[in-house]
Structure formats: structure tokens, C-alpha cells
Amino acid sequence: MNQNTEQLRTEPIGRLLFKLSLPAMIGMLVTALYNIIDTIFVARGIGASAVAAIGIAFPIQMILMAVSSAVGLGGASISSRKLGKGDDAGAAVTFMNVLVLVGVFAAFAVSSAFFMLDSILTVFGATSAIMELSQQYLSVVLISSPFFMFTIAASAMVRAEGQAPYQMKVMLTTVVVNLVTTPLFIFTFGWGIYGAAWSTALAQVVGSILMLRFFFSKTRRTALDFQWRKFRLRFGELKEIMAIGSSSFIMMVSQSILFVCVNVMLGTYGGTEELAIFAIINKFMALVGMPIMGIVQGMQPIVGYNFGARQFERMRETIWTALRAGIAIAVFIWLTLQLFPTPLMRMFTNEAALIAGGVTAIHVLFAVSFLPSVQMLVNGIYQSLGKARVAMFLSLSRQTLYTIPLVFILPSYLGVFGVWLAFPIADAMTFLTAVGMAIWDRKLLFRPAEEEVKKATNL
């Protein structure tokens, strides 16, 4: 048996979850901190207009990330269960199907974005004051997007084998590249927003090279070999990959649409200052969510593998341990944001109006930001078990069903404050939805038995 997957079967759950989650958490936390520091460089070196311009471009990047993440998570779920059954060859074929899907989607998405760049930016809320800056930034970043999409999808497959430490090394390396080159390109070379864009592009290329090294190195330790002579497209499996990953895709695309809606409403009821505030707050939103996603990513291969191996007690223990850890981390981050909003805003700007508006936004928008951690964890469990429809519903609940309608309704009565208030109300509703679904499926999630597993696999 592959030594990477043997640990998923035998190692104590607490230690195993810590070992798999910590690298992902560190990698994602560092990425979130990088995004914050990168925004500080842009704000200090170029100005608030550049921050707002990158904020407008961000939803497009999120859509590309959503596609690759969906394909990678769908493939990882299938591979984890195949590895649990000892079908290493089948897992390798799934990996190659993942690569084909990512390649097709990357070619289509990036070419389409280039042809419709101006129209897309207009729809996404770019005003005349920041349109040119958004064009300059996005035109460069799109070039490197296929590399980024490959890295995201391949990272999920690496985690499926329990190799989260390698993924962490890749993420940390790309962050270091970005942190070194961004100030160099902006301040030393004087490239302005092009400097921020080329720094991001360079880091994405480096990440893809390191991920390729994992699979092609002579010292590789992976069951996911490139066996092109044996490869055949399996359309049924492609469909399953997309079905499982669709929940993640919809969640991220919904978040992208949400950001577009927020930008439009802020442009309507506010201006460049409010757009800049939201672009900054976006970085703190990632800070809240990414550590929880790290736990989800560490949890998923354990749950998926032991589900396939019919070791239900290990699966149950993993779920409870992940829930406790995720909620504790979410509460800690929530307290930090609520207690220190002014110092956080001062990192980006010295403008009194921008700081005051940002402090108010942080207090309101993050009022109950620890609650969605439950939804993220429950959604990750359903993905691991292949319950695509339930996972899709949970993914839709936060952004599409709750936040987006509130973002459009509340500003009509409360102006910009209504935009901020939409988020905590939606967070509370999302929490209640996730808890309700978990209670409904409590036998499968918390007291798994063979008959419940048979029901799940028939969905």
C-alpha cells in the first residue's frame, strides 16, 4: 500500500488531522497575509484608486480559481475513495482526467476574458476613474492564469494523497516570490500597477513549476503517475468530477458575483473611497476563511479515504475534531478583528476618512463572522462523501440565497451601511442552514453505519 495513504488508515486522528491541516492552514494563512501586505504596497506606492481597481479585477480571478478548484476538489474526492479501496491505478486515471478538464477550461476562460475585457470590467463595477488601472492589472494577470489554474487543481490532488506539506511549501514559495518582487517592481522599478500584476504572474508560474516537480521528480512518492499510454477519457467520471466540484465552483462564483454586486452598490451609493474600503476588507475576509479552509482540506482526505475503506469510527472522529478546531480558530480571528480595527486600517492608509469608514465596515461586516465556519466545515464533509447535491445547496446558501439579495435590498433604506449590514445577517442565516442540514443527516455524519453509507452512495 502507498505509504502516503497508509497514514490515512492507521495514524491517530488528532495527530493526523493536525499534520494534514497545519500545512494547509499555514499556507492559506500566509497567502491571506500576503494579500494584505501586497495591498499595503499598492496602497502606499500607487494609491487608493489602484486598490479599488484591483478590487474590481478580483472577481474575475476568483472565477478562474473557482473552475480549477472545482475540478481539483471533485477529482480529489474520487481519488481519495479509490485510494481507500486500494485502486491506485484508478486514482491515477482520475488525476489525468482532472488535467484534461483544467486545460480545456483554462483555454476557454482566459481567451474569452481577453476578448470581452472592457465589457466585463464595466459590468463588474469599474468606474471611469479606475477603468484604465483595472485594464492594466488584469491584462497581465490573465496571461499567467493557466499556470495558476493548474496549480490549484494539482494541489487538491496532492492533498488527496495526504501530501499537504508539499502543497504548503509550494504556497509559501509563491508568497515569498510575490512579497520580494512586488515592492521591487513598484518602488524600485517604478512600474506602478503593472509591477503588482507582473509580480503576481511570476509567482503563479513558479507555483506551477514546483507542482510539476512533485509529479515528475525522480524521487517522487506518489501513486498519481502520468501514464498517458493507458489514459482514456472517462466521460462518466468527468461528469462525477464536475458534480462533486460544482458545490465549490458555485460557492466561489457566487462569491465573485457577490463582490460584483457589492462594487456596483458601493459605486451607486458611495464612490472610489467606499470601493477602496471594500477592496481592503476583502483581504480580511480571506483571513477569516482561509484557515478554516485549511482544516477542511486536511479533513477531506481522511474522511474520504476512511469512507471508502468503511472505517466509519475514524470518519466520525475526524469530523468532530475538525469542527472543534475550526470553530475555535474562527472565534479567535473574529475577536482580533473586533478589537483592533483601527490599527488594521492604519496599515493601509493615513487618510482619516478612509480609516473611519473602514473601522465602521469591519465592526458591522464581521459582527458574527465566526458562524460561517460551521457551514464551511459541513460543506467540506458532504464533498468528501460525494453528496454533491447537498454540498451544492450549502454552497449556494451563503452568497446566492442570502447575501446577494440583502446587498440589493438594504442599501435602498440604509445606503452604504446597508451593504455592510447584509453580511452579518447572511452569516447568521447560513449558520442555521448548515446546522439544520447536519442535524438532518446526523446518522451519516456523526454515527455512520453501513446502511447510511449505502444511502449516500445512491444519491
Side-chain angles (χ1 to χ4, degrees), residues 13 16 23 35 122 142 176 210 219 231 268 280 292-293 324 334 342 377 403:
I13 291 299
L16 179 61
N35 286 327
T122 300
L142 282 173
V176 170
L210 292 176
T219 59
F231 171 66
T268 301
I280 292 171
I292 309 304
M293 282 305 301
R324 288 192 293 266
W334 168 74
T342 301
L377 289 159
T403 315

Side-chain angles (χ1 to χ4, degrees), residues 434-451:
V435 170
M437 295 300 299
I439 292 173
W440 180 267
D441 275 333
R442 60 190 178 278
K443 289 185 179 180
L444 173 64
L445 303 185
F446 305 113
R447 294 196 298 274
E450 191 70 31
E451 60 270 17

Side-chain angles (χ1 to χ4, degrees), residues 36-37 39-41 43-44 284 341-350 355:
I36 292 173
I37 296 171
T39 303
I40 293 173
F41 288 143
R44 297 285 185 177
F284 295 123
T342 301
L344 291 173
M345 286 300 300
R346 288 190 183 279
M347 293 190 304
F348 297 91
T349 181
N350 292 324
I355 293 172

Side-chain angles (χ1 to χ4, degrees), residues 97-177:
N97 277 277
V98 164
L99 295 183
V100 171
L101 274 177
V102 169
V104 171
F105 285 138
F108 174 77
V110 175
S111 60
S112 299
F114 264 117
F115 280 115
M116 300 183 293
L117 185 59
D118 290 355
S119 299
I120 291 173
L121 288 173
T122 300
V123 172
F124 280 22
T127 62
S128 58
I130 60 175
M131 173 64 79
E132 185 177 356
L133 288 171
S134 295
Q135 291 171 333
Q136 292 171 351
Y137 179 80
L138 197 57
S139 62
V140 173
V141 171
L142 282 173
I143 296 173
S144 63
S145 291
F147 298 96
F148 175 61
M149 294 175 73
F150 164 75
T151 302
I152 293 295
S155 294
M157 301 302 295
V158 169
R159 293 193 303 270
E161 284 197 286
Q163 286 294 300
Y166 187 85
Q167 184 217 6
M168 180 192 71
K169 293 177 183 177
V170 173
M171 295 181 71
L172 290 177
T173 302
T174 59
V175 167
V176 170
V177 170

Side-chain angles (χ1 to χ4, degrees), residues 87-367:
D87 184 11
D88 289 3
V93 171
T94 298
F95 175 51
M96 288 185 283
N97 277 277
V98 164
L99 295 183
V100 171
L101 274 177
V102 169
V104 171
F105 285 138
F108 174 77
V110 175
S111 60
S112 299
F114 264 117
F115 280 115
M116 300 183 293
L117 185 59
D118 290 355
S119 299
I120 291 173
L121 288 173
T122 300
V123 172
F124 280 22
T127 62
S128 58
I130 60 175
M131 173 64 79
E132 185 177 356
L133 288 171
S134 295
Q135 291 171 333
Q136 292 171 351
Y137 179 80
L138 197 57
S139 62
V140 173
V141 171
L142 282 173
I143 296 173
S144 63
S145 291
F147 298 96
F148 175 61
M149 294 175 73
F150 164 75
T151 302
I152 293 295
S155 294
M157 301 302 295
V158 169
R159 293 193 303 270
E161 284 197 286
Q163 286 294 300
Y166 187 85
Q167 184 217 6
M168 180 192 71
K169 293 177 183 177
V170 173
M171 295 181 71
L172 290 177
T173 302
T174 59
V175 167
V176 170
V177 170
N178 222 324
L179 287 178
V180 171
T181 56
T182 297
L184 179 67
F185 292 169
I186 292 177
F187 296 104
T188 304
F189 295 171
W191 289 356
I193 201 165
Y194 278 120
W198 280 114
S199 175
T200 298
L202 178 61
Q204 291 174 349
V205 172
V206 169
S208 66
I209 292 172
L210 292 176
M211 197 57 68
L212 283 170
R213 181 177 176 272
F214 176 83
F215 296 104
F216 285 102
S217 171
K218 293 181 179 180
T219 59
R220 66 182 184 273
R221 295 182 298 167
T222 175
L224 304 178
D225 296 329
F226 287 85
Q227 301 177 14
W228 295 111
R229 293 182 180 180
K230 300 180 180 179
F231 171 66
R232 295 292 184 276
L233 275 177
R234 296 180 177 177
F235 293 101
E237 186 164 277
L238 293 178
K239 182 179 178 181
E240 185 180 0
I241 288 172
M242 294 309 301
I244 296 171
S246 61
S247 63
S248 174
F249 173 78
I250 290 173
M251 181 172 64
M252 296 183 71
V253 169
S254 297
Q255 190 171 12
S256 179
I257 295 172
L258 170 61
F259 290 163
V260 172
C261 295
V262 170
N263 286 331
V264 169
M265 298 305 285
L266 289 176
T268 301
Y269 291 91
T272 300
E273 181 178 294
E274 285 75 19
L275 288 170
I277 288 173
F278 185 63
I280 292 171
I281 286 179
N282 267 343
K283 312 308 176 184
F284 295 123
M285 292 172 73
L287 186 66
V288 172
M290 282 189 174
I292 309 304
M293 282 305 301
I295 293 180
V296 171
Q297 290 179 6
M299 170 194 72
Q300 285 181 319
I302 309 174
V303 171
Y305 183 95
N306 287 286
F307 179 84
R310 298 302 192 255
Q311 296 194 87
F312 304 126
E313 181 58 30
R314 285 178 62 81
M315 174 184 135
R316 184 193 69 82
E317 184 182 351
T318 302
I319 290 171
W320 276 115
T321 304
L323 283 169
R324 288 192 293 266
I327 293 170
I329 291 172
V331 169
F332 173 78
I333 296 173
W334 168 74
L335 283 172
T336 302
L337 290 169
Q338 292 298 320
L339 292 175
F340 307 107
T342 301
L344 291 173
M345 286 300 300
R346 288 190 183 279
M347 293 190 304
F348 297 91
T349 181
N350 292 324
E351 297 181 24
L354 207 62
I355 293 172
V359 168
T360 298
I362 288 173
H363 277 310
V364 177
L365 193 147
F366 295 108

Side-chain angles (χ1 to χ4, degrees), residues 17-72:
L17 182 63
F18 179 80
K19 181 164 63 174
L20 296 185
S21 296
L22 185 63
M25 286 173 58
I26 292 174
M28 288 198 161
L29 186 59
V30 169
T31 300
L33 291 173
Y34 148 71
N35 286 327
I36 292 173
I37 296 171
D38 191 52
T39 303
I40 293 173
F41 288 143
V42 172
R44 297 285 185 177
I46 309 173
S49 295
V51 175
I54 293 176
I56 294 294
F58 184 62
I60 299 175
Q61 297 174 274
M62 283 196 64
I63 292 174
L64 299 178
M65 186 189 303
V67 173
S68 50
S69 179
V71 174

